[in-house]
Amino acid sequence: MERPEWNTAPIRCGRTKCSWRGYEGELSKEKKGMWTRSVCPVCGCQEYMFMTPGEIKAWERKKAKEGK
């Protein structure tokens, strides 16, 4: 599977109970010794998934409803 360019594809947290949605650049940075890893800004999960077209539409509707 070919990955989209950095910070261009909508993603969601890898934890199914977490509601965070955004882009890779919006992930929080967590320092661990000499290295840094990206984590969910809500729950701290290290994994994320690319959203499906249906999830993207729902996310966009929600953002429009919230006025963002």
Side-chain angles (χ1 to χ4, degrees):
M1 178 181 162
E2 197 170 311
R3 301 191 103 191
E5 286 189 42
W6 169 258
N7 210 30
T8 61
I11 60 171
R12 63 181 176 88
C13 180
R15 265 182 97 190
T16 54
K17 293 184 179 185
C18 183
S19 63
W20 182 82
R21 306 286 188 266
Y23 295 95
E24 291 166 310
E26 297 171 357
L27 292 169
S28 296
K29 303 295 181 204
E30 182 181 86
K31 279 213 118 2
K32 287 285 187 183
M34 303 260 320
W35 49 275
T36 303
R37 65 181 177 187
S38 296
V39 298
C40 172
V42 173
C43 72
C45 180
Q46 304 174 64
E47 298 174 12
Y48 65 86
M49 301 171 85
F50 291 102
M51 284 193 249
T52 65
E55 289 174 318
I56 294 168
K57 286 179 184 178
W59 179 55
E60 290 170 345
R61 280 193 307 268
K62 184 178 179 184
K63 288 194 313 181
K65 186 177 179 183
E66 293 174 352
K68 290 186 176 182

